[in-house]
Amino acid sequence: MRYLRGTWMRGGTSKCWLFDAEDLAGGDPGEVLAAAFGAGDPRQIDGVGGATSTTSKAALVRRSGAPGIDVDYRFAQVGIGARRVEWGSNCGNCATAIGLYALLTGLIEPERDRTTVRMRNTNTGTLLAAGIATPGGVVPETGTAVVPGAGDGGVPVELAFLDPSGSTTGVLSPTGRPLDRLPVPATLVDAGAPAALIDADAAGDLTVDELIALRRKAAVVMGLSGADDAIPKTGLVGRPRDPGHDLHVRMVSMLAPHPAVGLTSAVAITAAAGVEGSVVHRALGGRVPGVLRLGTPAGVVTVRAEWDSGGRLRAVRLDRAARRIAVAEISVPLTEDVALAS
Amino acid sequence: MRYLRGTWMRGGTSKCWLFDAEDLAGGDPGEVLAAAFGAGDPRQIDGVGGATSTTSKAALVRRSGAPGIDVDYRFAQVGIGARRVEWGSNCGNCATAIGLYALLTGLIEPERDRTTVRMRNTNTGTLLAAGIATPGGVVPETGTAVVPGAGDGGVPVELAFLDPSGSTTGVLSPTGRPLDRLPVPATLVDAGAPAALIDADAAGDLTVDELIALRRKAAVVMGLSGADDAIPKTGLVGRPRDPGHDLHVRMVSMLAPHPAVGLTSAVAITAAAGVEGSVVHRALGGRVPGVLRLGTPAGVVTVRAEWDSGGRLRAVRLDRAARRIAVAEISVPLTEDVALAS
């Protein structure tokens, strides 16, 4: 039996297990995480996983050696009914949690009034910043900030995705086109995460299965392997169906409907607003907004976008919440300890 | 913020959080558990709960002061989307975990070869025993025993329900009849837990909603309050649909289909086999078996029954598995600390 110390955090609408990257060095961290989560079982009944896309997440966190960056983290989407881990994507909700975690664990020192934790997601190279009020240099353990899709309060965290375009493939539009036909019209962008944004007004209310089929097509067109269930983020985006929304958004996540919207998907949607002729640009009537209210199944997710004079997206900011749920020593049932030898 | 030390165990097909009862004394333990689990949210996203009936369970455990009993435990079925806890029932899978927990935490000392942990469920008064191999007086942390509905291995635990009839209401047949009409024919028994066993051969494949409606009727007829979603255990029992089964069993649990069968339900079904004219007795063709193979959605659950010469059920034994998943310090977000004052 191997023992692994972990911190269980809620970030936005997700639960994430955070680990000191050093504790998983010298072996295959995916194997250890899959065993710790009970990933082989669709109910993850023999481990710490929650058996849904938003509760089967982990990250390995360490102090960064890079200038201007406080923390490096590697995100893991842990399998559900498959003893494996996907390393191809980032997770904004986990990043929210990591900001607070870095302060709670002393990885970085709090400032007098407000502390910004500068993070690098090593899966994608994305830079992020988490801003947390630390009045008197005290790190809050709890708070009353809520986000759509999670009714309980948490510590308010302002999460920023910095210069998010081309985070995985290097370019905002991997196909070079604002609109692709799958044949359903879709905009394929890479910002925050690779995403396939399908025209909800043209396609109608597609089923999850239809969206999953389109996801596979989009992966091929975007030059992704298609082996990673987490990307491209895929869903329907269209004109608002409620006066309080700017866009109608219905995403799938790990082959199931997302209860709200993944934050990397929110970034991709925001970036696509700046692409003339894209699904998002058209749904917004050509407007490139500074504030974007996404209508999700859980309610409105509000995004603040910062564009430079050349129309490039410099930052996407979201008001999120995080809370530490538990600190734990996990018993990891590894069949062969030899798997841990480097 | 209140900190609560807990041990997360897998018992059979359930995950249970186990606590030292002393750590929850002097207040309303239901309030603390509901907050720790994030019970108010249907996804339990802000707590340690798993948002399903089999992963939203806890027990308060203490050394017993009663003669012949090692451990007392109080089982809590924690709400999912409701900030409350139900204290009306017992859980065999948690009892399996508590047997191993009592040894791992030193609540009781292991014997040289095999240790029996004698337990009392204080919700119902049911006595149980967990038999665990402890070769050389060593308590195993892991093992290869599997149960239907959980593919991962665990420490083998033989769980016995002792003299289970009338555990909640005092009598095996609360209505005094082997068969009640709801109007669908059903046998209402109390052994392990109060249960409404509906004739699958007469009723056909009822939907979950239909079963839930019958559950409410059965609660009234059995003199239960009906306020507790956990009892009566309700489901369909009929003639086998597979040559390897003795009975066809489809139960609901906390208003959703059970992935296998709750162990208290298995005990109720076994006890009903001894009631002439009951749904179970008829489905078995009048045979009162020593071994009963229940055909559940997850596979065969095998039950060993011990009857005395008067036809009374003395014990029901099941081969189960358990494993410690983690030891944790949980951050419990209680709005008002005053709620903790006794």
Side-chain angles (χ1 to χ4, degrees):
Chain A
M1 190 64 66
R2 176 171 171 175
Y3 302 100
L4 180 63
R5 193 170 173 82
T7 299
W8 206 7
M9 306 274 306
R10 200 250 308 174
T13 52
S14 291
K15 287 198 258 199
C16 309
W17 279 95
L18 305 182
F19 301 99
D20 182 334
E22 288 306 318
D23 289 343
L24 284 153
D28 178 353
E31 188 163 349
V32 179
L33 291 178
F37 272 63
D41 174 19
R43 299 201 302 129
Q44 294 185 334
I45 203 70
D46 198 51
V48 301
T52 69
S53 73
T54 51
T55 59
S56 188
K57 298 180 167 189
L60 314 186
V61 185
R62 67 168 85 233
R63 192 175 275 123
S64 180
I69 296 174
D70 298 311
V71 165
D72 282 346
Y73 73 90
R74 188 178 182 203
F75 170 67
Q77 182 76 50
V78 182
I80 301 169
R83 203 177 171 89
R84 63 183 179 129
V85 164
E86 296 189 354
W87 299 104
S89 60
N90 182 19
C91 172
N93 277 321
C94 290
T96 304
I98 291 164
L100 180 58
Y101 168 87
L103 284 168
L104 286 171
T105 56
L107 259 180
I108 82 158
E109 290 298 315
E111 308 283 319
R112 176 173 287 279
D113 293 316
R114 185 174 178 82
T115 307
T116 298
V117 181
R118 293 159 301 175
M119 302 178 280
R120 178 171 60 180
N121 170 245
T122 60
N123 310 73
T124 62
T126 303
L127 301 181
L128 304 98
I132 298 173
T134 48
V138 176
V139 180
E141 284 202 71
T142 186
T144 56
V146 294
V147 299
D152 294 293
V155 174
V157 178
E158 188 204 55
L159 185 71
F161 289 78
L162 307 173
D163 247 330
S165 300
S167 46
T168 299
T169 64
V171 290
L172 175 59
S173 292
T175 67
R177 289 180 294 270
L179 208 65
D180 282 80
R181 310 254 163 205
L182 303 173
V184 183
T187 292
L188 309 179
V189 287
D190 175 17
L197 308 175
I198 293 153
D199 188 335
D201 305 311
D205 291 329
L206 298 178
T207 65
V208 168
D209 285 346
E210 288 169 322
L211 286 170
I212 290 168
L214 288 170
R215 197 189 69 82
R216 279 191 292 266
K217 282 193 195 178
V220 174
V221 176
M222 296 176 86
L224 302 168
S225 77
D228 191 324
D229 286 340
I231 54 169
K233 306 291 178 190
T234 301
L236 294 159
V237 180
R239 285 194 298 275
R241 301 184 184 181
D242 184 291
H245 302 167
D246 296 308
L247 289 170
H248 171 77
V249 175
R250 291 292 182 274
M251 302 299 293
V252 292
S253 173
M254 295 302 283
L255 317 184
H258 196 289
V261 61
L263 303 194
T264 56
S265 301
V267 171
I269 293 166
T270 306
V275 177
E276 209 170 312
S278 74
V279 166
V280 180
H281 190 257
R282 296 198 305 182
L284 290 166
R287 192 165 53 92
V288 180
V291 174
L292 203 50
R293 295 163 303 168
L294 309 180
T296 81
V300 182
V301 172
T302 301
V303 176
R304 293 188 296 281
E306 293 168 20
W307 307 89
D308 71 11
S309 55
R312 186 171 171 86
L313 184 60
R314 305 313 311 194
V316 174
R317 297 180 190 276
L318 300 109
D319 289 324
R320 307 300 291 171
R323 199 179 74 78
R324 179 167 58 192
I325 295 171
V327 176
E329 186 185 71
I330 302 169
S331 299
V332 184
L334 287 164
T335 345
E336 301 178 297
D337 274 343
V338 68
L340 293 170
S342 56
Chain B
M1 190 63 65
R2 176 171 172 175
Y3 302 101
L4 179 64
R5 192 172 172 82
T7 299
W8 205 7
M9 306 275 305
R10 198 239 323 164
T13 53
S14 290
K15 287 198 257 198
C16 309
W17 279 96
L18 306 181
F19 301 99
D20 182 336
E22 289 305 318
D23 290 342
L24 284 153
D28 177 353
E31 187 162 350
V32 178
L33 291 179
F37 272 64
D41 175 17
R43 300 200 302 130
Q44 294 186 335
I45 203 69
D46 198 51
V48 301
T52 69
S53 74
T54 51
T55 58
S56 188
K57 296 179 167 189
L60 314 186
V61 185
R62 67 171 83 234
R63 191 174 276 121
S64 180
I69 297 173
D70 298 310
V71 165
D72 282 346
Y73 73 89
R74 188 179 183 203
F75 171 66
Q77 182 76 49
V78 181
I80 302 168
R83 205 179 170 88
R84 65 184 178 126
V85 164
E86 296 189 353
W87 298 104
S89 59
N90 183 20
C91 171
N93 277 321
C94 290
T96 304
I98 291 164
L100 181 58
Y101 168 87
L103 284 169
L104 287 171
T105 56
L107 260 179
I108 82 158
E109 290 298 314
E111 309 282 320
R112 176 174 288 278
D113 293 316
R114 186 175 177 81
T115 309
T116 298
V117 181
R118 295 158 299 176
M119 300 177 282
R120 179 172 59 181
N121 170 244
T122 60
N123 309 73
T124 62
T126 302
L127 301 181
L128 304 98
I132 298 172
T134 47
V138 175
V139 180
E141 283 202 70
T142 187
T144 56
V146 294
V147 300
D152 295 293
V155 175
V157 178
E158 188 203 57
L159 185 71
F161 290 78
L162 307 173
D163 247 330
S165 300
S167 46
T168 299
T169 64
V171 290
L172 174 59
S173 292
T175 67
R177 291 180 292 270
L179 207 64
D180 281 81
R181 310 255 164 206
L182 304 173
V184 182
T187 293
L188 308 179
V189 287
D190 175 17
L197 308 174
I198 294 154
D199 187 335
D201 304 311
D205 291 328
L206 298 178
T207 65
V208 167
D209 285 347
E210 288 170 321
L211 286 171
I212 289 168
L214 287 170
R215 197 190 69 80
R216 279 191 292 267
K217 281 192 196 178
V220 173
V221 177
M222 295 176 88
L224 302 168
S225 78
D228 192 325
D229 286 341
I231 55 169
K233 306 290 178 191
T234 301
L236 294 159
V237 181
R239 285 192 298 273
R241 301 184 184 180
D242 183 293
H245 302 166
D246 296 309
L247 289 170
H248 171 77
V249 175
R250 292 292 181 273
M251 302 299 292
V252 292
S253 172
M254 295 301 283
L255 317 184
H258 196 290
V261 61
L263 303 194
T264 55
S265 300
V267 171
I269 293 166
T270 306
V275 177
E276 209 171 313
S278 74
V279 165
V280 181
H281 189 257
R282 297 197 304 181
L284 289 167
R287 190 165 54 91
V288 179
V291 173
L292 203 49
R293 295 163 302 167
L294 309 180
T296 81
V300 182
V301 172
T302 302
V303 176
R304 295 189 294 281
E306 293 169 21
W307 308 89
D308 72 11
S309 55
R312 186 173 171 85
L313 184 60
R314 304 314 309 194
V316 175
R317 296 180 192 275
L318 300 110
D319 290 324
R320 307 299 292 172
R323 198 178 74 78
R324 180 167 57 191
I325 294 172
V327 176
E329 185 185 71
I330 302 169
S331 299
V332 185
L334 288 164
T335 346
E336 301 179 297
D337 276 341
V338 68
L340 293 169
S342 57

